[in-house]
Amino acid sequence: MIVGNRKEFGEILEKLGTARRVLVLGCNECVTVCGVGGEREVGVLASELRLYWQKEGQDFAVKEHTLERQCDYEYIDAIRPLTGEYDVILSMACGAGVQYVAEAYKPRLVIPAVNTTFLGVTLEQGVWSERCQGCGSCIVDMTGGVCPIARCAKSLLNGPCGGSSGGKCEIDRDTDCAWQLIVDRLTESGQMERYEEIQPVKDWRTGRDGGPRKRVREDLKL
Amino acid sequence: MRLNYPSNVKVVKVPCTGRVDMLLILKAFESGVDGVYVAGCMEGECHYLRGNLRARRRVEQVKKLLDEVGLGGERVEMFNMSASQGQRFAQFAREMTERIRSLGPSPAKKNKEVLP
Ligand code: SF4
Ligand code: SF4
């Protein structure tokens, strides 16, 4: 899923500027699961804003609404009647959702309330960890199911580097060295011969380096 | 026991403090209360194992939020007591009432939301 962090309240206030009619817009997908932008978090942020403006003795209107998804036009379009009544939309979706809402409701101001951070997994309730950087050409079959691009600090394809020690990465003691994990997994599964294969320089054009990506599936089109 | 505690304290019953979500506390402040405290069972004695420990973490989080918003985190607190400790219940009610009195009324009462 896509994982993010809620922005600090102070930063959100700053971005809102003089706007006092605010639609706080959540998303029911990834950001709900990682506890950053679902219905509940919309409630918390809306409550913070209300308490702040009540305290400041200002007039305001804060509306809470959560969409099934902010990355599909059908859902976004459904709130068109609602949006006209507010100065800004404070989106709690990932960056993709924020942008799609902004596109649908231009020239209305759309403000992100979340810092979108990574593609990852839930390690336990309340703890998430990065797993993939969407490089567009997956190689984890070669690396024991561990992604060296997302999980090695240097994204090394032939690791480890000299900083690997006691299974940990040199960036900090709490971070596993991805290449230690890879070697362990390959050993466990009797695939160490894969480790001997030198990975050539990766063609990053399938990733972000090739520019913004777009996918078209003619067979799925209406 | 016929113990007295300040009459300004309004009790909201929940099956376990684990039910107390951040939103419940924030909503109480939105409705105009001056302070909120959560009275949970003793740590280690939760019937649902970790309800009171979770409540404490949520109270800590609400403290941060109230600080950010400018109401002050001291307006919310978590206390632990067992069901048989009426004395303690009354004592915390007095302590919290005194604390809130010294802080004064919640500044979030100045204005009501103007609905669209
Ligand atoms: S190799 Fe690429 S696609 Fe596969 S997990 Fe890593 S970043 Fe994601
Ligand atoms: S210590 Fe391991 S994870 Fe860290 S940069 Fe080196 S190879 Fe990558």
Side-chain angles (χ1 to χ4, degrees):
Chain A
M1 90 189 90
I2 298 169
V3 181
N5 293 313
R6 223 298 294 277
K7 282 183 183 288
E8 296 285 334
F9 185 65
E11 186 185 344
I12 293 173
L13 273 186
E14 207 173 290
K15 285 184 188 293
L16 283 172
T18 55
R20 291 294 174 272
R21 298 178 72 83
V22 181
L23 171 59
V24 186
L25 193 61
C27 175
N28 260 340
E29 300 282 348
C30 308
V31 287
T32 293
V33 183
C34 71
V36 73
E39 200 176 338
R40 183 171 168 275
E41 291 73 32
V42 164
V44 170
L45 178 54
S47 191
E48 282 183 90
L49 289 170
R50 288 192 195 104
L51 288 172
Y52 181 78
W53 284 324
Q54 274 174 19
K55 186 198 82 174
E56 297 293 300
Q58 301 191 7
D59 288 343
F60 62 94
V62 177
K63 171 82 178 166
E64 302 172 25
H65 194 83
T66 300
L67 294 179
E68 207 46 46
R69 279 198 289 282
Q70 284 189 33
C71 51
D72 271 318
Y73 188 77
E74 289 79 356
Y75 297 113
I76 299 176
D77 197 40
I79 53 159
R80 198 161 289 282
L82 199 62
T83 57
E85 300 171 21
Y86 297 90
D87 302 334
V88 299
I89 301 172
L90 190 51
S91 168
M92 301 198 79
C94 72
V98 179
Q99 289 180 58
Y100 218 16
V101 170
E103 201 175 311
Y105 293 117
K106 56 181 182 264
R108 193 167 300 283
L109 186 57
V110 177
I111 293 172
V114 166
N115 292 324
T116 305
T117 320
F118 57 76
L119 296 182
V121 296
T122 310
L123 291 184
E124 59 179 272
Q125 177 75 13
V127 184
W128 296 272
S129 165
E130 182 162 18
R131 286 293 186 271
C132 173
Q133 286 190 354
C135 75
S137 172
C138 197
I139 52 154
V140 298
D141 58 311
M142 300 295 295
T143 52
V146 176
C147 170
I149 293 157
R151 298 180 70 185
C152 163
K154 294 170 187 152
S155 297
L156 295 178
L157 289 177
N158 299 283
C161 73
S164 180
S165 120
K168 300 294 173 188
C169 172
E170 63 181 342
I171 61 158
D172 80 81
R173 275 164 215 250
D174 296 328
T175 305
D176 289 328
C177 167
W179 275 98
Q180 180 71 55
L181 295 177
I182 292 168
V183 168
D184 291 349
R185 299 266 180 90
L186 290 176
T187 309
E188 279 165 22
S189 56
Q191 297 186 81
M192 267 307 270
E193 73 281 356
R194 290 196 185 269
Y195 184 62
E196 305 286 322
E197 282 173 45
I198 301 297
Q199 294 292 321
V201 174
K202 191 171 169 72
D203 180 352
W204 290 103
R205 284 174 299 180
T206 56
R208 257 295 302 160
D209 297 28
R213 290 161 279 176
K214 186 175 178 181
R215 178 170 173 257
V216 181
R217 278 276 304 271
E218 293 298 339
D219 57 322
L220 290 180
K221 282 186 171 180
L222 293 178
Chain B
M1 279 196 273
R2 295 187 182 278
L3 292 166
N4 287 323
Y5 65 90
S7 59
N8 51 282
V9 176
K10 298 280 169 279
V11 178
V12 179
K13 291 183 193 163
V14 286
C16 165
T17 50
R19 165 66 181 88
V20 182
D21 185 69
M22 278 163 57
L23 260 178
L24 273 188
I25 306 178
L26 291 173
K27 287 286 168 208
F29 281 102
E30 274 189 54
S31 77
V33 303
D34 300 313
V36 172
Y37 69 94
V38 179
C41 297
M42 300 301 283
E43 294 194 355
E45 291 178 13
C46 176
H47 183 74
Y48 302 102
L49 304 178
R50 288 186 305 277
N52 50 359
L53 302 177
R54 291 197 179 125
R56 177 169 291 279
R57 292 203 203 117
R58 292 173 194 155
V59 166
E60 292 304 322
Q61 187 63 24
V62 175
K63 277 178 179 289
K64 273 188 221 150
L65 293 187
L66 292 185
D67 276 334
E68 280 178 352
V69 164
L71 261 66
E74 325 85 78
R75 289 187 183 273
V76 59
E77 202 51 79
M78 171 93 198
F79 295 113
N80 297 91
M81 68 209 71
S82 77
S84 61
Q85 290 176 312
Q87 289 282 8
R88 244 169 107 86
F89 179 86
Q91 177 204 330
F92 289 137
R94 281 193 298 273
E95 263 182 46
M96 196 61 186
T97 301
E98 277 161 33
R99 185 198 293 188
I100 300 299
R101 283 234 168 89
S102 69
L103 288 169
S106 162
K109 285 188 200 176
K110 283 192 198 150
N111 206 6
K112 280 273 159 280
E113 179 163 14
V114 265
L115 290 164

